Amino acid sequence: MSIINYASREIQFKIVYYGPALCGKTTNLNYIHQRITPQNRGDLISLATAADRTLFFDFLPLNAVVIKGFVTKFQLYTVPGQVIYNATRQLVLRSVDGVVFVADSQWEKMEENVESFKNLADNLAQQNMPIDEVPCVLQYNKRDLPNIAPINYMEYVLNNGKRRLQSFEVISSTGQNVFASLNAVSQVLLHKFSKQDDVPSPAPPPVAISIESPLGQPHSAPV
Amino acid sequence: MSPIPVLTIEDVAALDGVLEDFLRKTEADLTVVIDRGGNVISQFGDMDVTDVTVVAALAAGSFAATRELARRIGELEFNALYHQGNGTHIFMNSVDEDTIMTTVFGRGTTVGLVRFYSAAAAQRLAEILKSLRHKTPTLNLAPVSSAPVFVDR
C-alpha cells in the first residue's frame, strides 16, 4: 500500500511486474534503468541465480515530481516467473499498488500466460485485493518474434475480465512501449490520490496500443 | 491490521522521537522503520551510510524469506535477524505484524546493546503505529497532470 508522508513530502508507490517465466519482466526493468535520467533513479538490484534467472525479485526505485510539493517514489519490483516460486511471488506482491502484467506473445507460451494471470488474481485475492480493483496494465511482449499470436487473440484470452485493461504491444528488448506501459500504470495510481473533483476521469482504456503508434496516440485494434 | 496510508508531520515527529532516543542510547548509525511490503515509514540517523530505499526493500524481503524457515522449526516467524559484517552490521526486529525496524551499526556499539534497546523501541513504535491505524486519513493533494511521469531519454 502506498505511503504518503507529509513530513518528508513523499509518496511511495509499489509497482510489480508480473508474468510467466522468461516473459521479459527483468528486461523491462533493465531498459527503464538504462534509459531514465540517473538522478531520477536508484540502483537496480537483482536477486538472481548465476544463470540470471530471477530468484527473489528485481528492484528499481524511481523518483518523479508529479504532484505539486511532493516527491513521488515509485518502487518497481519483478517476481520470479517460474511456477515453483509462488511463495516468493506472494511476498513480493505484499502491499502492491499497481501491476504490469507481462505476457509472452509466442503461441507456445499462451497457456503459461493464462496460468500466470490466474495466479496473479489468486495471489491478490489472498491479500483481499480483487484483481478488478488493482491498477493494472497488460503488456504483450516479444512482438518482434515470428511465431506470435495476433493481438485480438491475446486480448481474447487475457483481457476478458469485468474491467478492460489498457494493453500495449511491447518489445522490451528494444524498449518499445516499455515507458508507455509504465506511464499508464503510474497515471492510474496517481489519479487515485489526486483531488477527484479537479481531475477529469481518465479516458476509457484503449485496446492494445501498438508499437507503431506514437506514444500517447493509441489506436484500437480489432477484437 | 490495515497499513498506514498517510503520515502527518506530527506522526513522523512521534516516530522520530522514538528512533532518536534509540540511536542515542545504542550509538547505532541508522535506523529505519519499514512496512513488510518494503516501504519506508520513518528513518533516523546518518543517511549517508546507505540507500535507505534499497535497504528497506531488501530487509523486507530478507525478513519474509526467513519466515518459512521459522515455520520449519515450529515458530511463526523469527522476531529478530542479525546480519554480521566485518565492520558494519544490520539488526532487524519485528515491531508488529505489519512493520519491521532495521538498524545499521558499526564498531561504535555492540549487537547486545542494539538488541536490548530495540525491544523497548519496538514496543513504543507499535503503540504509535496502532494509534495511527485508527485515524481516518485526510488527503489534500494537488491534481495530477496527464503528462507522462517518466521520459525515455
Side-chain angles (χ1 to χ4, degrees):
Chain A
M1 182 64 76
S2 53
I3 292 179
I4 299 173
N5 188 326
Y6 276 91
S8 57
R9 311 293 289 177
E10 285 179 359
I11 303 175
Q12 296 174 57
F13 293 115
K14 180 174 183 176
I15 297 173
V16 174
Y17 282 70
Y18 208 95
L22 296 171
C23 67
K25 302 176 290 292
T26 302
T27 311
N28 264 270
L29 257 62
N30 276 329
Y31 182 81
I32 294 165
H33 180 253
Q34 286 166 15
R35 301 287 298 184
I36 209 157
T37 313
Q39 56 263 36
N40 289 340
R41 62 158 166 81
D43 294 333
L44 174 62
I45 308 293
S46 281
L47 304 182
T49 66
D52 272 349
R53 300 294 300 275
T54 302
L55 182 63
F56 201 156
F57 56 73
D58 306 303
F59 173 70
L60 176 62
L62 303 177
N63 291 339
V65 180
V66 282
I67 296 177
K68 194 177 176 185
F70 281 83
V71 171
T72 314
K73 294 189 166 188
F74 292 84
Q75 303 186 347
L76 273 47
Y77 289 76
T78 66
V79 295
Q82 296 173 80
V83 174
I84 55 168
Y85 292 137
N86 193 45
T88 309
R89 283 192 291 277
Q90 290 172 345
L91 296 177
V92 177
L93 268 184
R94 189 166 179 157
S95 305
V96 68
D97 294 300
V99 175
V100 178
F101 184 83
V102 185
D104 190 325
S105 296
Q106 298 176 93
W107 277 112
E108 63 268 28
K109 297 287 185 179
M110 220 47 64
E111 192 177 336
E112 287 179 44
N113 289 331
V114 173
E115 194 175 315
S116 178
F117 196 75
K118 183 178 181 307
N119 175 255
L120 168 65
D122 291 345
N123 285 337
L124 287 172
Q126 277 193 12
Q127 296 190 50
N128 296 319
M129 297 173 79
I131 193 166
D132 287 325
E133 294 175 16
V134 177
C136 182
V137 299
L138 291 174
Q139 278 193 3
Y140 303 137
N141 195 17
K142 306 191 184 182
R143 299 307 297 173
D144 54 335
L145 296 185
N147 57 334
I148 53 172
I151 288 298
N152 54 1
Y153 182 77
M154 299 205 66
E155 288 281 306
Y156 175 70
V157 295
L158 291 170
N159 205 359
N160 55 13
K162 278 187 280 185
R163 178 186 58 158
R164 290 301 295 273
L165 301 172
Q166 200 168 5
S167 56
F168 296 83
E169 293 184 57
V170 171
I171 306 172
S172 60
S173 57
T174 60
Q176 295 194 64
N177 273 344
V178 165
F179 272 80
S181 44
L182 173 61
N183 280 322
V185 76
S186 304
Q187 284 290 349
V188 178
L189 277 175
L190 289 165
H191 277 90
K192 283 178 66 175
F193 291 90
S194 62
K195 289 178 186 171
Q196 297 301 317
D197 295 343
D198 296 347
V199 180
S201 300
V207 177
I209 295 178
S210 75
I211 292 164
E212 290 75 24
S213 297
L215 294 185
Q217 298 294 318
H219 77 262
S220 294
V223 178
Chain B
M1 190 178 284
S2 62
I4 312 154
V6 177
L7 293 169
T8 65
I9 293 170
E10 294 76 22
D11 299 335
V12 174
L15 294 169
D16 282 356
V18 175
L19 299 184
E20 183 181 14
D21 182 53
F22 170 71
L23 282 194
R24 189 174 46 77
K25 286 173 176 165
T26 60
E27 297 187 39
D29 299 318
L30 170 70
T31 185
V32 188
V33 179
I34 62 176
D35 74 10
R36 306 233 174 179
N39 292 308
V40 177
I41 295 172
S42 190
Q43 58 199 18
F44 205 90
D46 183 359
M47 302 303 166
D48 294 332
V49 171
T50 183
D51 184 335
V52 170
T53 308
V54 172
V55 164
L58 293 174
S62 176
F63 217 89
T66 56
R67 191 173 181 141
E68 200 56 41
L69 193 60
R71 283 185 183 150
R72 300 290 155 191
I73 58 167
E75 292 288 329
L76 188 62
E77 70 171 10
F78 294 122
N79 293 325
L81 294 177
Y82 171 49
H83 296 300
Q84 182 176 340
N86 285 325
T88 308
H89 326 286
I90 293 181
F91 182 80
M92 293 182 273
N93 57 307
S94 178
V95 171
D96 59 32
E97 64 186 58
D98 275 331
T99 321
I100 303 161
M101 180 179 170
T102 302
T103 305
V104 180
F105 62 99
R107 292 192 171 89
T109 186
T110 64
V111 63
L113 202 60
V114 172
R115 187 194 303 271
F116 177 76
Y117 283 111
S118 68
Q123 196 172 358
R124 289 172 64 193
L125 290 170
E127 287 165 9
I128 295 170
L129 294 169
K130 189 177 176 185
S131 68
L132 295 186
R133 288 188 173 101
H134 287 100
K135 285 200 315 187
T136 306
T138 51
L139 284 173
N140 188 25
L141 299 179
V144 180
S145 135
S146 294
V149 179
F150 301 105
V151 179
D152 186 347
R153 289 188 293 160

